[in-house]
Amino acid sequence: EHMFFLELHCRCIQTESKPIGRHIEKVELILPNSHCEETEIIATLKRTGEEVCLNPEAPWVKKVINKIMSSRS
Amino acid sequence: EHMFFLELHCRCIQTESKPIGRHIEKVELILPNSHCEETEIIATLKRTGEEVCLNPEAPWVKKVINKIMSSRS
């Protein structure tokens, strides 16, 4: 039968501390909502498609997002 | 049978010009890849869950991303 998993909590339990910017394929920025009061950032890695949580406060994470947003990403 | 749709091109055809920052639930930043040479930004809207493409160059989009990344988002 179809497993239906309702996210009633934050999706991230721990965040990746090592700067993995160059392995990132895409990044999802999730705003605080009724289930989770923090902004969460989930990156999908290139080769494996693995999903990794990033710390929105970490300087290297802010740099990665800024680099993506600067046109010559 | 299961429809399998392979993204062999950019996902965004047009982008939303109206600033819709306050309706955004989450934002996906997709880096240039073998299928699409541009950075693409896809926002999911709160109420409807609708997906909308945003222009990475638009000032209001850059402001939304910066606001999300500043801790007090």
Side-chain angles (χ1 to χ4, degrees):
Chain A
E1 52 27 61
H2 186 73
M3 267 291 294
F4 185 71
F5 181 69
L6 204 59
E7 308 269 32
L8 288 179
H9 47 72
C10 295
R11 290 172 59 179
C12 292
I13 296 158
Q14 60 192 24
T15 58
E16 174 60 56
S17 51
K18 294 190 301 303
I20 52 165
R22 64 192 184 298
H23 298 294
I24 292 176
E25 179 178 83
K26 66 178 177 177
V27 183
E28 203 177 10
L29 311 178
I30 304 162
L31 279 85
N33 52 49
S34 52
H35 310 317
C36 177
E37 57 185 24
E38 291 140 32
T39 294
E40 296 192 290
I41 300 184
I42 301 178
T44 301
L45 301 187
K46 281 179 187 156
R47 224 171 27 79
T48 60
E50 193 193 339
E51 289 193 332
V52 178
C53 285
L54 307 182
N55 176 6
E57 316 285 328
W60 73 271
V61 173
K62 291 182 187 288
K63 243 179 271 167
V64 166
I65 302 295
N66 285 338
K67 193 160 172 280
I68 293 172
M69 291 305 294
S70 61
S71 50
R72 293 286 63 68
S73 62
Chain B
E1 51 31 62
H2 188 75
M3 266 290 295
F4 186 71
F5 181 68
L6 204 59
E7 308 269 31
L8 287 180
H9 46 72
C10 295
R11 290 172 60 179
C12 290
I13 296 160
Q14 59 192 25
T15 58
E16 173 60 57
S17 51
K18 292 188 303 300
I20 52 166
R22 63 193 183 300
H23 299 292
I24 291 176
E25 178 178 84
K26 65 179 178 177
V27 183
E28 202 178 10
L29 310 178
I30 304 162
L31 278 85
N33 53 49
S34 51
H35 310 317
C36 177
E37 57 186 23
E38 292 140 32
T39 295
E40 295 191 289
I41 299 183
I42 300 177
T44 301
L45 301 187
K46 280 178 187 161
R47 226 171 27 79
T48 60
E50 193 193 341
E51 290 192 334
V52 178
C53 286
L54 306 183
N55 176 5
E57 316 283 329
W60 74 269
V61 173
K62 291 182 188 287
K63 242 179 273 166
V64 166
I65 303 295
N66 285 338
K67 193 161 173 275
I68 293 171
M69 291 305 294
S70 61
S71 50
R72 294 281 68 66
S73 62

